[in-house]
Amino acid sequence: MKIAPDLLELIVEHARREAPNECCGLIAIDGDEAVDVYEGVNTEASPFRFVIDSATLLKTTDIEDAGQRIGIYHSHTRSEPFPSQTDISQAANWPDAEWLIVGLAGEEPVVRSFTIDGPAVTEVGL
């Protein structure tokens, strides 16, 4: 996925603001380019898992109606930005989504993106 620096910065800032809890939200992807970001609320308010609030999830209809793909972003505040087993399990509900993860465990944020198909995790370029 291609993502403009200003959109990526919105996601990273959201992750920093929500730490030590995970942040979460949606990305509208047109072709292979991110065109919008929708900040969500992690209803779990947890550093270990996230659940996107229902108001943000309603944006998926707008994204799909516009012919765009859905991206899901969240943060890992204590670990590398690689899908956890929980992320892999949740991906079954979003089979065509791209997963962007912001890692905050180090001094500087690290951002990586993945597709998840069953147990298969594939990193895709940003």
Short mmCIF file of all heavy atoms in Angstrom, two decimals, residues 1-3 7 11 25-29 33-38 63 68-74 98-100 113:
data_model
loop_
_atom_site.label_atom_id
_atom_site.label_comp_id
_atom_site.label_asym_id
_atom_site.label_seq_id
_atom_site.Cartn_x
_atom_site.Cartn_y
_atom_site.Cartn_z
N MET A 1 0.85 -1.18 0.00
CA MET A 1 0.00 0.00 0.00
C MET A 1 0.89 1.23 0.00
O MET A 1 1.87 1.30 0.73
CB MET A 1 -0.91 -0.04 1.24
CG MET A 1 -1.52 1.29 1.59
SD MET A 1 -2.64 1.31 3.02
CE MET A 1 -1.80 0.38 4.26
N LYS A 2 0.49 2.20 -0.78
CA LYS A 2 1.13 3.51 -0.75
C LYS A 2 0.33 4.37 0.22
O LYS A 2 -0.90 4.37 0.18
CB LYS A 2 1.12 4.15 -2.13
CG LYS A 2 1.92 3.40 -3.16
CD LYS A 2 1.76 4.07 -4.51
CE LYS A 2 2.43 3.21 -5.58
NZ LYS A 2 2.16 3.76 -6.92
N ILE A 3 1.04 5.08 1.09
CA ILE A 3 0.36 5.96 2.04
C ILE A 3 1.14 7.26 2.15
O ILE A 3 2.36 7.25 2.35
CB ILE A 3 0.15 5.27 3.41
CG1 ILE A 3 -0.69 6.15 4.35
CG2 ILE A 3 1.45 4.84 4.03
CD1 ILE A 3 -1.22 5.43 5.57
N LEU A 7 -0.97 11.10 6.09
CA LEU A 7 -1.90 10.08 6.59
C LEU A 7 -1.20 9.13 7.55
O LEU A 7 -1.76 8.74 8.59
CB LEU A 7 -2.52 9.30 5.44
CG LEU A 7 -3.51 10.05 4.55
CD1 LEU A 7 -4.01 9.14 3.43
CD2 LEU A 7 -4.67 10.59 5.36
N ILE A 11 -1.85 8.29 11.81
CA ILE A 11 -1.92 6.97 12.45
C ILE A 11 -0.90 6.86 13.58
O ILE A 11 -1.21 6.41 14.68
CB ILE A 11 -1.74 5.85 11.41
CG1 ILE A 11 -2.93 5.84 10.44
CG2 ILE A 11 -1.56 4.50 12.08
CD1 ILE A 11 -2.74 4.95 9.23
N GLY A 25 -8.15 1.74 14.08
CA GLY A 25 -8.91 2.54 13.14
C GLY A 25 -8.94 1.87 11.78
O GLY A 25 -8.47 0.75 11.60
N LEU A 26 -9.49 2.60 10.82
CA LEU A 26 -9.66 2.09 9.46
C LEU A 26 -8.90 2.95 8.46
O LEU A 26 -8.69 4.15 8.70
CB LEU A 26 -11.14 2.09 9.08
CG LEU A 26 -12.07 1.27 9.96
CD1 LEU A 26 -13.52 1.52 9.53
CD2 LEU A 26 -11.74 -0.21 9.87
N ILE A 27 -8.54 2.33 7.35
CA ILE A 27 -7.91 3.02 6.25
C ILE A 27 -8.72 2.70 5.00
O ILE A 27 -9.04 1.53 4.75
CB ILE A 27 -6.46 2.54 6.04
CG1 ILE A 27 -5.64 2.69 7.33
CG2 ILE A 27 -5.80 3.28 4.87
CD1 ILE A 27 -4.30 1.97 7.29
N ALA A 28 -9.07 3.73 4.23
CA ALA A 28 -9.71 3.53 2.93
C ALA A 28 -8.59 3.43 1.89
O ALA A 28 -7.73 4.32 1.82
CB ALA A 28 -10.64 4.69 2.61
N ILE A 29 -8.60 2.35 1.11
CA ILE A 29 -7.54 2.10 0.13
C ILE A 29 -8.17 2.04 -1.25
O ILE A 29 -9.04 1.21 -1.50
CB ILE A 29 -6.80 0.78 0.44
CG1 ILE A 29 -6.27 0.78 1.88
CG2 ILE A 29 -5.68 0.55 -0.56
CD1 ILE A 29 -5.78 -0.58 2.36
N GLU A 33 -3.48 2.65 -3.01
CA GLU A 33 -3.14 3.89 -2.33
C GLU A 33 -4.14 4.21 -1.22
O GLU A 33 -5.36 4.23 -1.44
CB GLU A 33 -3.13 5.05 -3.33
CG GLU A 33 -2.65 6.34 -2.73
CD GLU A 33 -2.48 7.43 -3.77
OE1 GLU A 33 -2.45 7.12 -4.98
OE2 GLU A 33 -2.38 8.59 -3.37
N ALA A 34 -3.62 4.49 -0.02
CA ALA A 34 -4.46 4.92 1.10
C ALA A 34 -4.96 6.32 0.79
O ALA A 34 -4.18 7.20 0.43
CB ALA A 34 -3.67 4.91 2.39
N VAL A 35 -6.29 6.51 0.91
CA VAL A 35 -6.87 7.81 0.59
C VAL A 35 -7.52 8.48 1.79
O VAL A 35 -7.79 9.68 1.76
CB VAL A 35 -7.89 7.71 -0.58
CG1 VAL A 35 -7.18 7.31 -1.86
CG2 VAL A 35 -9.00 6.72 -0.26
N ASP A 36 -7.77 7.73 2.85
CA ASP A 36 -8.37 8.33 4.04
C ASP A 36 -8.10 7.43 5.24
O ASP A 36 -7.90 6.23 5.11
CB ASP A 36 -9.87 8.50 3.87
CG ASP A 36 -10.41 9.73 4.60
OD1 ASP A 36 -9.70 10.25 5.50
OD2 ASP A 36 -11.52 10.16 4.28
N VAL A 37 -8.11 8.06 6.41
CA VAL A 37 -7.91 7.36 7.67
C VAL A 37 -9.06 7.73 8.60
O VAL A 37 -9.45 8.89 8.67
CB VAL A 37 -6.56 7.77 8.32
CG1 VAL A 37 -6.44 7.27 9.74
CG2 VAL A 37 -5.39 7.29 7.48
N TYR A 38 -9.61 6.72 9.26
CA TYR A 38 -10.70 6.93 10.21
C TYR A 38 -10.24 6.45 11.58
O TYR A 38 -10.12 5.25 11.81
CB TYR A 38 -11.95 6.16 9.78
CG TYR A 38 -12.45 6.55 8.41
CD1 TYR A 38 -12.06 5.83 7.29
CD2 TYR A 38 -13.28 7.64 8.25
CE1 TYR A 38 -12.51 6.18 6.03
CE2 TYR A 38 -13.74 8.01 6.99
CZ TYR A 38 -13.34 7.28 5.89
OH TYR A 38 -13.78 7.64 4.64
N ILE A 63 -16.68 3.08 2.73
CA ILE A 63 -15.46 2.67 2.02
C ILE A 63 -15.82 1.70 0.90
O ILE A 63 -15.41 1.88 -0.24
CB ILE A 63 -14.45 2.03 3.01
CG1 ILE A 63 -13.95 3.08 4.01
CG2 ILE A 63 -13.28 1.39 2.25
CD1 ILE A 63 -13.15 2.51 5.17
N GLN A 68 -13.68 1.03 -2.63
CA GLN A 68 -12.34 0.97 -2.02
C GLN A 68 -12.22 -0.26 -1.14
O GLN A 68 -13.20 -0.87 -0.75
CB GLN A 68 -12.11 2.25 -1.21
CG GLN A 68 -12.17 3.49 -2.06
CD GLN A 68 -12.29 4.76 -1.24
OE1 GLN A 68 -12.70 4.75 -0.08
NE2 GLN A 68 -11.94 5.88 -1.86
N ARG A 69 -10.96 -0.59 -0.85
CA ARG A 69 -10.67 -1.70 0.07
C ARG A 69 -10.52 -1.16 1.48
O ARG A 69 -10.20 0.00 1.69
CB ARG A 69 -9.37 -2.41 -0.32
CG ARG A 69 -9.43 -3.16 -1.61
CD ARG A 69 -8.15 -3.96 -1.89
NE ARG A 69 -6.94 -3.15 -1.86
CZ ARG A 69 -5.92 -3.36 -1.02
NH1 ARG A 69 -5.94 -4.35 -0.16
NH2 ARG A 69 -4.85 -2.58 -1.07
N ILE A 70 -10.70 -2.06 2.44
CA ILE A 70 -10.58 -1.70 3.84
C ILE A 70 -9.20 -2.09 4.36
O ILE A 70 -8.73 -3.21 4.15
CB ILE A 70 -11.66 -2.40 4.67
CG1 ILE A 70 -13.04 -1.88 4.25
CG2 ILE A 70 -11.44 -2.19 6.17
CD1 ILE A 70 -14.20 -2.67 4.81
N GLY A 71 -8.59 -1.15 5.04
CA GLY A 71 -7.38 -1.42 5.80
C GLY A 71 -7.70 -1.22 7.26
O GLY A 71 -8.54 -0.39 7.62
N ILE A 72 -7.07 -2.00 8.09
CA ILE A 72 -7.26 -1.89 9.53
C ILE A 72 -5.90 -1.56 10.14
O ILE A 72 -4.89 -2.20 9.81
CB ILE A 72 -7.79 -3.20 10.13
CG1 ILE A 72 -9.17 -3.50 9.53
CG2 ILE A 72 -7.85 -3.12 11.66
CD1 ILE A 72 -9.71 -4.87 9.86
N TYR A 73 -5.87 -0.55 10.99
CA TYR A 73 -4.61 -0.25 11.67
C TYR A 73 -4.80 -0.37 13.17
O TYR A 73 -5.89 -0.20 13.70
CB TYR A 73 -4.07 1.13 11.26
CG TYR A 73 -4.74 2.32 11.88
CD1 TYR A 73 -4.37 2.79 13.15
CD2 TYR A 73 -5.73 3.03 11.20
CE1 TYR A 73 -4.96 3.90 13.71
CE2 TYR A 73 -6.32 4.15 11.75
CZ TYR A 73 -5.94 4.58 13.01
OH TYR A 73 -6.54 5.68 13.56
N HIS A 74 -3.71 -0.72 13.82
CA HIS A 74 -3.67 -0.71 15.27
C HIS A 74 -2.22 -0.64 15.71
O HIS A 74 -1.31 -0.66 14.88
CB HIS A 74 -4.40 -1.93 15.87
CG HIS A 74 -3.72 -3.23 15.68
ND1 HIS A 74 -3.67 -3.90 14.47
CD2 HIS A 74 -3.06 -4.03 16.55
CE1 HIS A 74 -3.02 -5.03 14.62
NE2 HIS A 74 -2.63 -5.14 15.87
N GLU A 98 -6.10 -5.17 4.56
CA GLU A 98 -4.67 -5.03 4.81
C GLU A 98 -4.52 -4.54 6.25
O GLU A 98 -5.33 -3.75 6.72
CB GLU A 98 -4.06 -4.01 3.84
CG GLU A 98 -2.56 -4.02 3.87
CD GLU A 98 -1.93 -3.36 2.64
OE1 GLU A 98 -2.51 -3.47 1.54
OE2 GLU A 98 -0.87 -2.75 2.81
N TRP A 99 -3.52 -5.05 6.94
CA TRP A 99 -3.33 -4.77 8.36
C TRP A 99 -2.06 -3.95 8.56
O TRP A 99 -0.95 -4.44 8.33
CB TRP A 99 -3.22 -6.09 9.14
CG TRP A 99 -4.51 -6.83 9.14
CD1 TRP A 99 -5.06 -7.54 8.09
CD2 TRP A 99 -5.43 -6.92 10.20
NE1 TRP A 99 -6.27 -8.06 8.46
CE2 TRP A 99 -6.52 -7.70 9.76
CE3 TRP A 99 -5.45 -6.42 11.50
CZ2 TRP A 99 -7.61 -7.98 10.56
CZ3 TRP A 99 -6.54 -6.71 12.30
CH2 TRP A 99 -7.60 -7.48 11.83
N LEU A 100 -2.21 -2.72 9.00
CA LEU A 100 -1.07 -1.85 9.29
C LEU A 100 -0.89 -1.82 10.80
O LEU A 100 -1.85 -1.59 11.54
CB LEU A 100 -1.34 -0.45 8.75
CG LEU A 100 -0.18 0.52 8.85
CD1 LEU A 100 -0.11 1.37 7.59
CD2 LEU A 100 -0.32 1.40 10.06
N SER A 113 3.09 -3.33 7.32
CA SER A 113 1.76 -3.68 6.82
C SER A 113 1.75 -5.12 6.33
O SER A 113 2.76 -5.60 5.78
CB SER A 113 1.37 -2.71 5.70
OG SER A 113 0.01 -2.82 5.42
#
